[in-house]
Amino acid sequence: MSRLLIRGGRVLDPASDRDAAGDVLIEDGVIVAVDADIDTRGAEVLDAEGVWIAPGFVDLHTHLREPGQEYKEDIASGGRAAVAGGFTSVACMANTQPVNDDPSVTDFILDRARTDSPARVHPVAAATKGLAGEVMTEMVALVEAGAVAFSDDGKTIMDSGVMRRVLQYSRLVERPVITHAEDRTLVGDGVMNEGPVSTRLGLPGNPAVAETVHVARDIMLAEITGAHLHVAHVSTAGAVELVRAARERGVHVTAEVTPHHLVLTDEATSGYDTNTKMAPPLRSADDVRACRQGVADGTLDAIATDHAPHALHEKEVEFTEAPPGVIGFETALAVVLDLVREGELAPLELIRRLTTDPARILSLTAGTLSVGAPADVVVVDPERRWTYDPSKGYSKSRNSPWNGQELVGRVVASVVGGRMVYHVDRGVLVQ
Ligand code: DOR
């Protein structure tokens, strides 16, 4: 029998509303006790004195790039970067090459993940063939293969009739439809938030209304179909308000926000750094404030990284030409701890947005320290200072806005299925 005791930490378990000192005992991959002063005999001991013990983080929104773009990332490197950031379960988007619009691709991703990734990987299948927004995918077959949700992320389903049918059919499989809400006709050739900063920089703007118009449409379609709509990477005050109001009148809508949209504004693009370019773009200070409020009151259920690796040669071009996206696994925790430091969110609530809430959205048995649950656990030092150097990280790509910056808060260890797969002093420990 294998026994691992994580000892002497502040145990933060949103599923049981627990925020108290204690130990977590794991036997054969399962949590068997959460208590004060558990007997250590026969157990490997991981010291968590003075730091946090929490469920492993669940990331609803990542791009692992395999199959097809392994020069940016693959399931092995992405899985390592995930556990180094505390994410023990990740959902990966369908914009691979080929697109994950067929059970054979879903199978391939799951096979690869089993052998290559220290993090658990859950494929999100495309909602339409080739992400073209025209013909629906075979949802039942994709769910049978292991898909946990449907999304054309990276592309917007512009045809409202198609989106309505996608939502209707998603009810058959009881899986959420994740919308990338950017009306393409309003985005136009916009590459950053439309406003005073884009005017000053002379860059084409992507207006906030491109998001809000689309969120409004999708909420209306979710309302008439009764389907579960999940709004990806909310970036605008208007979208937060729409989700809040829809939820209040009983629409089944959930939403996520990225770490970067919680702390950076469009001012970050002032130096034309292509590592501040993503879709949706960084917004105004008012939008950031609204997103933070949305996380605080639970309107935005989940914090999701939208980890989107791109190679150096792709990002070292003019701002207008660079692909959108930033990597995010290894910096996410430090970045979002800002909400705790600013007194806007209690630690337990921050952990909830990283664990219980995203797990619920995807119906995963993860994100909890309940006795009997799979032992996916993180140890977090919220005070640890470190300088982030993406070239020393686990992702194959380096496109981070936090390159070279001092960050506060770091994952000390990640445990997946009872096995320690990452320790900050020893690195990734498997594969
Ligand atoms: O910034 C982004 N990058 N947004 C997306 O929706 C897609 C992603 C990517 O795949 O690079």
Side-chain angles (χ1 to χ4, degrees):
M1 192 190 4
S2 73
R3 293 180 97 205
L4 173 66
L5 183 72
I6 308 178
R7 191 177 56 189
R10 175 177 176 182
V11 179
L12 293 160
D13 181 27
S16 60
D17 285 324
R18 185 186 184 111
D19 179 356
D23 307 337
V24 174
L25 180 64
I26 297 163
E27 281 178 7
D28 291 334
V30 173
I31 294 173
V32 292
V34 181
D35 220 331
D37 299 320
I38 297 175
D39 186 358
T40 58
R41 260 173 303 175
E44 181 192 349
V45 175
L46 174 58
D47 185 22
E49 206 68 52
V51 299
W52 298 354
I53 306 172
F57 304 154
V58 177
D59 196 346
L60 285 177
H61 192 141
T62 74
H63 298 272
L64 300 181
R65 304 298 192 212
E66 187 177 3
Q69 293 186 309
E70 292 84 353
Y71 67 97
K72 298 179 196 248
E73 196 77 287
D74 58 27
I75 289 167
S77 62
R80 288 168 191 221
V83 295
F87 294 94
T88 53
S89 296
V90 303
C92 57
M93 286 298 167
N95 62 342
T96 47
Q97 292 174 1
V99 168
N100 182 12
D101 59 6
D102 186 275
S104 62
V105 181
T106 311
D107 281 342
F108 169 84
I109 292 168
L110 286 169
D111 280 349
R112 264 298 143 87
R114 264 188 288 276
T115 54
D116 290 8
S117 170
R120 301 182 199 271
V121 173
H122 299 283
V124 175
T128 71
K129 296 241 167 81
L131 308 178
E134 292 164 4
V135 178
M136 282 172 49
T137 52
E138 298 277 354
M139 288 185 170
V140 173
L142 286 159
V143 167
E144 278 169 3
V148 292
F150 294 92
S151 183
D152 278 7
D153 181 68
K155 297 261 177 68
T156 302
I157 299 176
M158 286 297 292
D159 186 316
S160 304
V162 171
M163 186 62 171
R164 178 188 183 179
R165 281 192 294 284
V166 165
L167 286 162
Q168 270 168 340
Y169 275 80
S170 73
R171 294 200 61 185
L172 282 178
V173 286
E174 295 183 333
R175 289 283 161 184
V177 175
I178 304 176
T179 178
H180 179 122
E182 286 195 296
D183 183 305
R184 279 210 291 271
T185 64
L186 288 167
V187 171
D189 57 4
V191 293
M192 71 172 294
N193 184 46
E194 180 181 290
V197 185
S198 65
T199 304
R200 196 177 79 224
L201 298 178
L203 290 172
N206 168 351
V209 72
E211 176 170 292
T212 48
V213 157
H214 208 81
V215 171
R217 182 204 77 171
D218 286 347
I219 284 174
M220 287 176 155
L221 294 174
E223 194 160 13
I224 59 156
T225 55
H228 177 183
L229 174 74
H230 177 76
V231 185
H233 39 49
V234 167
S235 70
T236 59
V240 176
E241 198 37 55
L242 285 163
V243 171
R244 187 179 287 126
R247 191 90 61 83
E248 275 166 16
R249 60 175 196 275
V251 183
H252 193 181
V253 55
T254 53
E256 75 194 27
V257 62
T258 71
H260 42 274
H261 288 111
L262 288 172
V263 300
L264 298 176
T265 67
D266 50 2
E267 289 287 353
T269 299
S270 294
Y272 297 93
D273 179 359
T274 57
N275 293 327
T276 64
K277 180 176 178 181
M278 63 286 285
L282 298 172
R283 300 287 186 186
S284 70
D286 283 347
D287 291 309
V288 171
R289 216 168 292 123
C291 287
R292 293 171 77 106
Q293 180 55 40
V295 171
D297 70 19
T299 303
L300 305 180
D301 311 71
I303 295 171
T305 65
D306 198 3
H307 177 84
H310 293 291
L312 266 182
H313 70 271
E314 295 171 313
K315 281 290 201 179
E316 284 183 344
V317 294
E318 272 183 64
F319 197 88
T320 48
E321 304 307 311
V326 293
I327 57 172
F329 285 140
E330 294 173 71
T331 50
L333 171 81
V335 171
V336 299
L337 274 169
D338 187 57
L339 280 89
V340 172
R341 285 191 287 266
E342 294 298 321
E344 294 167 51
L345 204 57
L348 187 64
E349 294 310 302
L350 178 69
I351 297 299
R352 198 186 302 278
R353 305 283 177 270
L354 288 164
T355 59
T356 331
D357 283 346
R360 173 178 43 81
I361 289 167
L362 293 183
S363 311
L364 303 177
T365 41
T368 169
L369 297 179
S370 307
V371 168
D376 296 353
V377 187
V378 290
V379 177
V380 163
D381 183 347
E383 313 283 347
R384 187 164 169 144
R385 283 179 185 276
W386 58 297
T387 301
Y388 177 55
D389 176 355
S391 71
K392 298 210 169 75
Y394 289 92
S395 174
K396 287 189 186 180
S397 293
R398 299 177 188 183
N399 50 313
S400 167
W402 288 284
N403 187 347
Q405 291 194 26
E406 182 173 271
L407 301 175
V408 182
R410 193 157 192 193
V411 172
V412 174
S414 297
V415 173
V416 176
R419 222 161 82 187
M420 203 195 311
V421 291
Y422 172 78
H423 189 281
V424 65
D425 299 328
R426 289 185 266 160
V428 172
L429 297 166
V430 292
Q431 283 143 2

